[in-house]
Amino acid sequence: MTLRSNGPKPGNGMKLGVLLAIFEFPMLNAGLREVIDAEQDMEVIGEVESPQALGEEVARSVADVVIAECLPFDRSGCTSFQSIESIRAARPTAKILALECRSSSEQFSLAIRAGADGFLTREARAADVVTALRSVARGQTYVSPSIVTRMVNTYVLKSPRGALEDRYEDLSEREQEVLFLAA
């Protein structure tokens, strides 16, 4: 893994450092590297090669943002939750952009609950990746537009006919925050 030295934060002459933590899809790493390194204000500073090395490599890294894949449940539970918790434990100040790698409606809420700062779906384009990285680096929560559409459809438009209760109150505090920021 390549690391950059500590220095001024992005916006002060330094590039936004991004660490890729995507294990099952090596071609995805190559594509993300191409998109990120094409930007003048950001660069990929390393790639974590295995889930077992995640905590140690994140702790050694000075990355501003870690892009982590969201994997489905396995026998041990939700691997997305475990990866995000591992990143948070290793570097509490790092921003985490979770990336949906398989279609699952639960991945978004699990990733945000686990502590991710943003979530990209598989349909994300290069411009979405760049926007998401800049947003989470500024301390904002980023949610793919398709997730916002799902949230609106689920929590606003799908109320039983005739019922006008505010389903917003049924959301967790974090879900309310994300919905507010997305709106």
Side-chain angles (χ1 to χ4, degrees), residues 26 31 42 94:
M42 58 181 69

Side-chain angles (χ1 to χ4, degrees), residues 1-180:
M1 178 175 79
T2 309
L3 301 176
R4 70 180 171 131
S5 61
N6 285 322
K9 293 304 269 179
N12 296 332
M14 281 295 284
K15 291 184 175 188
L16 177 72
V18 180
L19 179 66
L20 302 177
I22 300 169
F23 317 114
E24 287 199 2
F25 305 99
M27 287 301 296
L28 186 54
N29 276 342
L32 286 169
R33 181 179 286 278
E34 184 78 23
V35 167
I36 294 164
D37 287 345
E39 297 297 311
Q40 291 183 357
D41 62 337
M42 58 181 69
E43 66 183 335
V44 173
I45 62 168
E47 296 179 24
V48 181
E49 297 190 12
S50 72
Q52 295 76 23
L54 180 63
E56 181 181 319
E57 291 193 26
V58 168
R60 287 192 331 216
S61 171
V62 293
D64 302 298
V65 180
V66 178
I67 299 179
E69 64 188 331
C70 278
L71 297 174
F73 288 90
D74 66 9
R75 282 182 237 160
S76 65
C78 179
T79 58
S80 302
F81 194 84
Q82 294 163 353
S83 293
I84 292 168
E85 281 187 330
S86 178
I87 294 166
R88 277 281 170 249
R91 288 217 42 242
T93 59
K95 301 297 182 185
I96 302 170
L97 181 60
L99 181 63
E100 174 188 57
C101 291
R102 295 205 175 94
S103 184
S104 171
S105 61
E106 297 129 13
Q107 286 184 344
F108 163 71
S109 60
L110 288 173
I112 297 298
R113 285 183 185 145
D117 299 290
F119 189 84
L120 279 172
T121 60
R122 297 182 318 162
E123 297 86 23
R125 300 198 179 274
D128 298 327
V129 173
V130 171
T131 299
L133 287 168
R134 288 185 179 131
S135 293
V136 299
R138 286 190 306 264
Q140 300 170 331
T141 301
Y142 180 88
V143 180
S144 286
S146 63
I147 295 293
V148 175
T149 301
R150 281 189 231 164
M151 289 172 65
V152 169
N153 287 338
T154 301
Y155 297 109
V156 178
L157 301 178
K158 298 294 184 192
S159 293
R161 190 163 264 238
L164 295 177
E165 76 275 358
D166 187 2
R167 296 196 60 195
Y168 180 78
E169 298 303 322
D170 295 338
L171 300 176
S172 71
E173 186 176 323
R174 180 69 170 159
E175 288 170 329
Q176 288 176 359
E177 178 185 350
V178 170
L179 183 60
F180 175 76

